[in-house]
Amino acid sequence: MSLLLAILSLLVVLLSAALGWALLRLQRRVDALHTQIGDGASAMPSPPPGSGRARPVIKIEILNPFELAVRDTPLAGPAAKLAPRMIERIVYSRAAMQIAEQLKAQGVDAQVTTHGA
């Protein structure tokens, strides 16, 4: 019986270590994405002051952020239960980067930002 408890305890410790490592890896990704987005946003031109007319805005809402995170990193599923906001921020940051890159490849000069993520 004590051998079974020792094995279960070891499995719990290993799973905790794997989840901790995955969260650390995801946090590093978030920091890198924030740096890239910050650099890109500062290079974008601001709208002319006093133009007086509102510009159209395209809003995109990702309805399945956790599915996307799990597809990219299988350990994101358990991590999403511990830190769902962090997973959402990562998914939205990555999506913003991909959209900006695709628009640039099409020759579109656009400012892509995330709000509230």
Side-chain angles (χ1 to χ4, degrees):
M1 184 68 169
S2 63
L3 179 61
L4 181 61
L5 288 175
I7 291 172
L8 288 174
S9 298
L10 180 61
L11 287 175
V12 167
V13 168
L14 290 175
L15 181 61
S16 298
L19 288 175
W21 177 80
L23 283 174
L24 180 64
R25 191 172 140 218
L26 289 172
Q27 185 61 48
R28 287 181 182 161
R29 269 186 171 168
V30 168
D31 293 341
L33 291 173
H34 280 296
T35 301
Q36 290 176 356
I37 289 172
D39 293 345
S42 63
M44 297 291 176
S46 59
S51 63
R53 87 174 222 247
R55 294 184 181 191
V57 175
I58 298 172
K59 178 182 176 184
I60 299 172
E61 181 178 355
I62 298 174
L63 301 177
N64 62 342
F66 301 114
E67 291 174 24
L68 296 174
V70 169
R71 188 173 26 180
D72 186 48
T73 306
L75 291 176
K81 294 178 183 173
L82 298 173
R85 296 291 296 153
M86 184 177 74
I87 299 297
E88 284 181 338
R89 281 194 308 262
I90 292 169
V91 169
Y92 272 89
S93 295
R94 177 173 276 177
M97 277 184 28
Q98 290 174 351
I99 290 168
E101 289 171 1
Q102 290 173 3
L103 288 173
K104 188 173 184 178
Q106 296 288 327
V108 177
D109 186 22
Q111 179 177 3
V112 180
T113 57
T114 58
H115 299 278

